[in-house]
Amino acid sequence: MQKYGLIGYPLGHSFSRNFFNQKFEAESIDAQYINFEIPTIKDLKRVLKENHELHGLNVTIPYKEQVIPYLDDLDDDARQIGAVNVIKFEKGRFGKTKLVGYNSDVIGFRESIEPLLNKAHAYALILGTGGASKAVFHGLKQLGIESAFVSRTKKENSFTYEELTPEVMEKYTVIVNTTPLGMFPNVNECPHIPYDLLTPAHLLYDLLYNPDETLFMKKGKEQGATVKNGLEMLLLQAFAAWDIWQK
């Protein structure tokens, strides 16, 4: 039996295990998907040592960047993004297993947001600066959209939330939330952007998918903006991860 899994901490919110195990059962694939909830990335070595049947891993918060030093190679997207959410176990020289990092988040995000874009969507704000935000930046760049990050503290190529003036909000008509603000059970939270400056020309995309409509999305919808959650991205990145493992 082939074995696949997910590393991260915590993993109570994850959808991957049920998704892949249902897929394996429905398609009569002799495989199993397991959650490896590890308190530190150093525990990855123990996971690998104790699970020789592993053919692939997904990586989630907070290890998408921390995992890179443990890998033997990266594909081009993962290298440019600087974050990994898929690890493929390949046969290296002399029969040694080679761990190669990929990023399927960028595939899922790009394919999910692209149908919503129009000519007015030339500039984007990315809320948050973690591993997922890097995949979003890369995906938007591939779609020809220039992006800037929004952070609580001042960083290079970024705004602070206090710097989101009417001029900025008018120019940046795509806003993507990559923070956990608003995720269940904290459904009454949202990023602190000036929602009153949103218009029907704006597109708000939330990587969160639980709840279906976050407060970020609700406030955008009230201003006439187009809104979308991250469920389709989640599914598309899972499909892409499976394709990576099988190729």
Side-chain angles (χ1 to χ4, degrees), residues 202-214:
H202 282 85
L203 165 61
L204 271 60
Y205 191 106
D206 201 330
L207 264 59
L208 301 178
Y209 53 90
N210 184 11
D212 290 340
E213 184 176 89
T214 60

Side-chain angles (χ1 to χ4, degrees), residues 90-237:
E90 298 182 358
K91 287 185 179 179
R93 297 180 65 184
F94 310 113
K96 184 183 177 183
T97 300
K98 180 181 178 183
L99 303 184
V100 182
Y102 295 81
N103 194 301
S104 69
D105 282 338
V106 66
I107 300 170
F109 172 73
R110 186 184 66 233
E111 292 182 356
S112 179
I113 197 171
E114 187 171 18
L116 303 177
L117 298 173
N118 59 48
K119 291 180 180 179
H121 296 139
Y123 297 92
L125 295 174
I126 302 172
L127 311 182
T129 56
S133 73
K134 293 183 175 183
V136 167
F137 181 90
H138 195 66
L140 289 170
K141 184 178 180 181
Q142 291 174 339
L143 293 168
I145 296 174
E146 187 176 322
S147 302
F149 294 99
V150 182
S151 174
R152 287 174 294 180
T153 57
K154 187 62 181 174
K155 298 179 181 179
E156 189 177 350
N157 187 34
S158 72
F159 295 100
T160 63
Y161 286 91
E162 290 72 28
E163 292 173 333
L164 299 181
T165 61
E167 292 77 18
V168 170
M169 294 298 289
E170 183 179 5
K171 178 179 178 180
Y172 290 84
T173 52
V174 178
I175 305 177
V176 184
N177 177 37
T178 73
T179 79
L181 289 171
M183 183 169 65
F184 181 85
N186 303 310
V187 296
N188 294 318
E189 295 181 354
C190 63
H192 297 295
I193 64 170
Y195 292 95
D196 59 314
L197 298 177
L198 296 175
T199 68
H202 282 85
L203 165 61
L204 271 60
Y205 191 106
D206 201 330
L207 264 59
L208 301 178
Y209 53 90
N210 184 11
D212 290 340
E213 184 176 89
T214 60
L215 187 56
F216 169 74
M217 294 168 60
K218 185 177 181 181
K219 284 175 171 282
K221 189 187 284 187
E222 288 171 355
Q223 298 295 117
T226 300
V227 301
K228 186 168 186 173
N229 71 18
L231 182 59
E232 184 183 48
M233 172 185 168
L234 188 73
L235 293 167
L236 290 169
Q237 69 80 22

Side-chain angles (χ1 to χ4, degrees), residues 7 38 63 100 227:
I7 60 168
I38 54 176
Y63 301 134
V100 182
V227 301

